[in-house]
Amino acid sequence: MLFLYNLIVQIAGFLLKIVALFSPKMKLFVDGRKVVFPALEQKIKPTDKTIWFHAASLGEYEQGLPVIEKIKEQFPSHKIVVTFFSPSGYEVRKNNTVADVTVYLPLDTKKNAQNFLKLVHPDLVFFIKYEYWPNYLAELKKLNTKTYLISGILRKNQLFFKWYGGFYREALNTFTYFFVQNETSKKLLQQLGKTNVSVSGDTRFDRVAAILEKDNSLDFISQFKDNTLTIVVGSSWPKDENLLVDFINSNTLNVKFIIAPHNIKEEQIQLLKNSITKKTVLFSEKEGQNLADFDVFIIDTIGILTKIYSYADIAYVGGGFGNPGVHNLLEPATFGVPILIGPNYSHFAEATALVNMEACISINNNKELDEAFTNLILNDDIRQEKGHMCSTFVQMNKGATAIILKHILNDPI
């Protein structure tokens, strides 16, 4: 099976180069990996001490950030190396300030793994949530490098638990310790004979709880809001927007809307703007405008949604009408904002918990969205109660970073 896996990776690498000729995203994926080894040679000396964190994409990076920051504090003489698999993670966070080196992870071939680890020579390695690359893990095991999984999630349908997944199960033997989010993941690992595992929880709660300590003010959002009840729509997709636009256009209540679409391509932004009959302004055209005069503010940029949530009275988080499902609910939740989402949320434990608590409302159609929004807009007590449940949920579930750090510091390099 390992031979077949390596063959598939080689074929995939070849095909991606062809796809990159036609896809801007795949071009970033391919071209970004061409400069990895030269960048590592330039930025890491053979005498440097390093610690390596790998994140599949932006969500995993944000999830691991509390641990990265604490490890950086505890090991100030080490260089922090962060790798991404996806362009959607790397391109957004390639200029982060917490890492000394941020690069794409080269494809999982034996040669790439050997070259990468020779150049990085990490003392500690952290894989965030998932992504188990057999060749990298095999080389790490040969080097006897301490390797940890943090905020791990395991499910029965993963390859580890299939009769033909032996080479993947072998890869798990690399990990020094598994820090998982829930008891189900712990039990699945125990079924494979793993005793080096504990339930630490999800470091995302630490990440979003820490947001409250930062300056989240945005003068232009404050000007737009103008002390008016505001609904913030985050990471919306067209299926979300179709429902939302109907409500916006028909709404007669004194409410403002901020929409931060998941995709900010100019063509799609213009389609969204043109579908709205209320007075609408884009972030890219806000200069010189009296933003208080507008009813709808479309955010056609990235990187400020978290701060925008701090101005929300109600939030709608997109993605729940597609696969794999709803986006990050914890950012609005930490600000004590009641949340609406679409129906596809069962793969996300925090979404399931918040819906079960009735702090978050799942809607399936226009009628349910209209009823939920109207109820929250007109009833201050209900809105505040649901918002309080959301913020309490975040505060009650933080602490995973401290558990992980305590174990690491008691297990010296």
Side-chain angles (χ1 to χ4, degrees), residues 131-188:
E131 284 212 334
Y132 309 90
W133 298 112
N135 285 309
Y136 279 98
L137 291 172
E139 295 303 319
L140 285 168
K141 187 176 182 182
K142 288 179 185 177
L143 295 169
N144 200 29
T145 304
K146 290 187 175 181
T147 304
Y148 301 91
L149 178 69
I150 58 175
S151 290
I153 283 281
L154 288 102
R155 298 184 177 91
K156 286 183 179 180
N157 62 353
Q158 288 174 304
L159 198 56
F160 309 114
F161 310 104
K162 305 294 185 181
W163 65 267
Y164 49 83
F167 78 102
Y168 245 56
R169 288 191 290 274
E170 178 66 24
L172 292 179
N173 293 332
T174 299
F175 287 97
T176 307
Y177 207 82
F178 300 87
F179 298 98
V180 296
Q181 293 187 31
N182 53 42
E183 285 291 340
T184 299
S185 297
K186 179 180 178 180
K187 289 177 181 177
L188 286 170

Side-chain angles (χ1 to χ4, degrees), residues 279-392:
K279 195 172 182 182
T280 303
V281 64
L282 304 182
F283 173 88
S284 59
E285 56 188 26
K286 66 180 172 50
E287 298 304 325
Q289 302 275 9
N290 182 4
L291 297 176
D293 291 340
F294 292 89
D295 302 302
V296 182
F297 196 173
I298 299 176
I299 310 300
D300 55 342
T301 188
I302 60 174
I304 59 173
L305 176 57
T306 301
K307 290 187 176 184
I308 292 174
Y309 277 134
S310 71
Y311 291 86
D313 297 288
I314 303 167
Y316 179 99
V317 178
F321 283 92
N323 290 310
V326 69
H327 289 285
N328 188 356
L329 276 69
L330 295 181
E331 289 183 350
T334 198
F335 291 111
V337 180
I339 303 165
L340 270 69
I341 58 174
N344 296 341
Y345 62 86
S346 60
H347 284 298
F348 303 91
E350 71 281 3
T352 301
L354 285 169
V355 170
N356 289 341
M357 292 166 55
E358 298 185 359
C360 174
I361 303 169
S362 173
I363 57 96
N364 294 280
N365 51 49
N366 290 77
K367 183 183 179 204
E368 292 179 6
L369 181 138
D370 290 356
E371 290 176 352
F373 269 151
T374 301
N375 189 36
L376 289 170
I377 292 166
L378 296 177
N379 293 280
D380 289 353
D381 290 344
I382 293 175
R383 191 171 65 248
Q384 291 174 14
E385 179 186 4
K386 290 183 182 297
H388 179 69
M389 286 191 289
C390 284
S391 59
T392 301

Side-chain angles (χ1 to χ4, degrees), residues 44-50 77-79 118-121 123:
I44 301 176
K45 300 175 183 177
T47 54
D48 286 337
K49 294 187 291 184
T50 71
S77 62
H78 282 68
K79 285 187 174 180
K118 182 179 179 180
L119 290 169
V120 177
H121 48 81
D123 290 322

Side-chain angles (χ1 to χ4, degrees), residues 184-195:
T184 299
S185 297
K186 179 180 178 180
K187 289 177 181 177
L188 286 170
L189 284 169
Q190 288 176 333
Q191 289 174 16
L192 298 179
K194 307 300 178 189
T195 58

